[in-house]
Amino acid sequence: AQDAQIQRRAVPCGSGSMVKTLSCPPGTSASASSNNGERAKEKAREWLRTRKVCIVAGTMKGGTCTLRRWLQRTAWGDWLSLPRCELHFFDSDEEWSLGPARYASWFDWRCSFIGDVTPSYMYLPVATDRLRALVPHARICLLLRNPIDRALSQHNHDLAKGEVRRAEIADVQLRRRVELELQRQRPPDRLDLLRRGFYSEQLARLWAKFPREQVLVLISERFREKPGEQASQVRKFFGLPPWREEFSVPDAHVRENYEITLSAEDRALLRELYEADVARLKEMLGDQLHEWKDFADVVL
């Protein structure tokens, strides 16, 4: 009964176009991830060590769902097992406590590549540490968007989730939400809006844990402009074969109309808050980030 319960929980997220039913590595099961037995843990660790691990770790509202669609388009032929949802294994204490067999149970054991698109991994420090501990060979892709546009997009995304989320974020006015976040003294949290856009410290944290050749940084605006070209770059980075034909993939979670927009004063406030971090990021990447018009005068 416990096996069936966990199977039902996992199957709706699926594994892209790779599998129709959930499979686990030989010698493990979904219930083993709950029991977290030493034998199951070691078998899962060994299986994960032999897979090519492809992580899209951020940023939230940076185009990660659209990139997942591009990767899922040919997942079957690529031997890529890529769930359709965010797994939150590395940033959730509850999921992490279930052990490596729980993580392995999301994927088809026959695959060569496993993929995980969870944009909170980049922001939450505990996720970086856990990724390093379990899959140190992972290749990690980041999509970075103009932090002002990203913050506005996340705020409207949160508002669209209904009254419960509105209560959680305390105020429907973005400026007030930013002010409250600045006043709080707490570790990074999934509900954070402003601090998710401080990319330089997040990238520095990743570079401290992983060799730079295992981290690919793309700019969201460039991905939006030329998605096929940018997605091909991601595939090459992950070690996936080149596409044999051209195709297009629709954007995911793109809102045509925002409930809340930014006044010129609020945009100026966010620019002031992000300016120093964007300057550091430009230096780290050696990239002027011309697409981020708000920061055009912030030079390398």
Side-chain angles (χ1 to χ4, degrees):
Q2 188 177 16
D3 278 2
Q5 182 179 6
I6 297 178
Q7 288 268 27
R8 284 195 296 271
R9 177 183 176 187
V11 166
C13 290
S15 297
S17 55
M18 178 75 181
V19 293
K20 301 298 185 290
T21 57
L22 184 68
S23 299
C24 301
T28 72
S29 68
S31 61
S33 60
S34 179
N35 296 331
N36 207 18
E38 290 302 317
R39 181 171 176 271
K41 285 169 59 177
E42 186 49 43
K43 283 184 174 290
R45 287 182 187 277
E46 178 58 30
W47 184 81
L48 290 169
R49 280 194 291 267
T50 62
R51 301 306 99 178
K52 295 181 179 179
V53 182
C54 312
I55 304 290
V56 178
T59 183
M60 180 184 181
K61 307 310 296 178
T64 57
C65 291
T66 300
L67 178 56
R68 181 198 286 118
R69 285 184 174 182
W70 277 93
L71 294 174
Q72 285 180 325
R73 181 66 170 74
T74 57
W76 179 272
D78 296 334
W79 290 96
L80 166 66
S81 184
L82 175 60
R84 298 188 186 98
C85 63
E86 298 174 10
L87 302 188
H88 290 289
F89 178 79
F90 295 100
D91 63 21
S92 164
D93 291 341
E94 179 183 0
E95 286 292 311
W96 179 254
S97 71
L98 297 177
R102 167 60 179 169
Y103 190 56
S105 74
W106 284 104
F107 308 107
D108 188 323
W109 67 268
R110 298 164 295 180
C111 68
S112 301
F113 298 84
I114 61 173
D116 181 350
V117 179
T118 305
S120 291
Y121 290 164
M122 172 184 174
Y123 177 60
L124 299 174
V126 67
T128 308
D129 295 335
R130 290 168 175 172
L131 280 163
R132 178 64 185 175
L134 185 60
V135 286
H137 60 297
R139 299 183 76 79
I140 301 171
C141 175
L142 308 176
L143 282 164
L144 305 185
R145 181 181 181 183
N146 180 327
I148 298 175
D149 295 333
R150 195 220 66 80
L152 178 62
S153 180
Q154 181 189 337
H155 189 59
N156 280 277
H157 173 82
D158 288 344
L159 292 177
K161 290 188 174 181
E163 294 303 320
V164 173
R165 179 54 61 89
R166 285 174 181 264
E168 288 176 335
I169 63 178
D171 199 298
V172 296
Q173 297 303 314
L174 188 148
R175 186 187 187 96
R176 180 59 179 155
R177 184 177 178 185
V178 167
E179 290 171 347
L180 289 172
E181 189 175 322
L182 287 170
Q183 293 169 11
R184 295 190 189 102
Q185 298 295 321
R186 70 179 186 191
D189 184 90
R190 284 190 195 174
L191 292 179
D192 291 343
L193 179 141
L194 175 71
R195 291 189 293 172
R196 281 182 182 267
F198 293 132
Y199 301 138
S200 70
E201 58 190 57
Q202 298 169 55
L203 181 58
R205 185 166 59 238
L206 263 175
W207 280 354
K209 299 292 182 179
F210 290 88
R212 295 191 182 190
E213 59 267 23
Q214 287 179 227
V215 181
L216 174 67
V217 180
L218 297 181
I219 304 305
S220 299
E221 289 79 3
R222 296 171 193 166
F223 176 57
R224 185 80 185 275
E225 180 69 22
K226 297 181 178 180
E229 179 182 302
Q230 296 281 294
S232 293
Q233 185 177 346
V234 175
R235 290 177 62 81
K236 182 177 180 180
F237 171 71
F238 283 152
L240 294 165
W243 279 308
R244 290 190 288 269
E245 59 180 321
E246 293 187 4
F247 54 86
S248 61
V249 172
D251 289 339
H253 305 309
V254 175
R255 300 182 188 280
E256 296 298 331
N257 298 298
Y258 283 166
E259 177 181 346
I260 299 294
T261 57
L262 279 180
S263 67
E265 292 79 7
D266 289 348
R267 196 167 193 96
L269 170 65
L270 288 174
R271 185 197 181 285
E272 180 181 350
L273 291 170
Y274 284 128
E275 181 177 3
D277 186 79
V278 170
R280 286 192 294 271
L281 182 67
K282 288 184 176 186
E283 183 176 1
M284 292 169 73
L285 297 178
D287 189 328
Q288 187 58 41
L289 303 174
H290 294 290
E291 294 82 2
W292 297 2
K293 304 300 184 183
D294 297 278
F295 306 98
D297 60 339
V298 178
V299 296
L300 287 172

